[in-house]
Amino acid sequence: MSSQFAQYSASLLVDGDYRNFAHTDAIPSPETWMRVYLRRVVKITLINVYNRWDCCRFRMIGLSVLIKMGDEIVRRCGEIVEEREVYSYKCAGKGDVVELWKDTWKVDSINAAEIEVFGSGELLSCSSWDLSLTREYCQLLMTC
């Protein structure tokens, strides 16, 4: 993450618990971001971004959802323009990073509960709630 507020670390983005959330600090910055680093380059087909459930859903508005290869943008999957519980992007691209990014100088922060990345290719990892998926389409093992 570009910064961290209190105990709300980036690891909470991929822990499978939709009740907690990661939180960037509300400090002036030219950009605010959260990233999920995949274990290797994969063909990404779907990205689900889960909003915080208890409050402050407006903080997601203005975020761009990106597939990246290292620091290079491979695909802009979309921009969040309204408050919702979950945002799903069917967005094909080959990369090793998924990023939520906001271009801003105002005091702002990002809260996100979970980021799920799905792709095709060799099975890297499946959690128990993904076992119904095929070996070609399963949640990829992620780190923050």
Side-chain angles (χ1 to χ4, degrees), residues 88-127:
S88 291
Y89 297 93
K90 291 182 180 177
C91 185
K94 195 172 181 181
D96 61 355
V97 176
V98 170
E99 181 174 289
L100 304 180
W101 178 80
K102 187 182 271 190
D103 181 14
T104 180
W105 265 106
K106 59 185 179 172
V107 177
D108 211 348
S109 60
I110 303 172
N111 301 147
E114 201 76 15
I115 299 174
E116 295 176 337
V117 179
F118 296 85
S120 60
E122 180 183 343
L123 175 63
L124 298 181
S125 173
C126 268
S127 60

Side-chain angles (χ1 to χ4, degrees), residues 29-121:
S29 172
E31 58 184 37
T32 305
W33 52 265
M34 292 181 170
R35 292 185 186 129
V36 173
Y37 295 91
L38 306 175
R39 300 281 174 140
R40 64 182 180 91
V41 175
V42 295
K43 182 180 176 189
I44 296 167
T45 57
L46 175 67
I47 300 168
N48 292 328
V49 179
Y50 291 82
N51 206 343
R52 187 173 164 175
W53 64 274
D54 58 343
C55 81
C56 312
R57 288 185 170 189
F58 67 90
R59 291 181 178 156
M60 297 288 269
I61 295 173
L63 283 175
S64 294
V65 180
L66 310 171
I67 296 174
K68 297 176 82 175
M69 182 83 72
D71 291 331
E72 298 296 319
I73 296 172
V74 173
R75 180 95 189 257
R76 292 182 186 272
C77 298
E79 183 175 327
I80 295 173
V81 296
E82 64 184 353
E83 295 178 32
R84 290 202 324 234
E85 182 178 335
V86 64
Y87 307 90
S88 291
Y89 297 93
K90 291 182 180 177
C91 185
K94 195 172 181 181
D96 61 355
V97 176
V98 170
E99 181 174 289
L100 304 180
W101 178 80
K102 187 182 271 190
D103 181 14
T104 180
W105 265 106
K106 59 185 179 172
V107 177
D108 211 348
S109 60
I110 303 172
N111 301 147
E114 201 76 15
I115 299 174
E116 295 176 337
V117 179
F118 296 85
S120 60

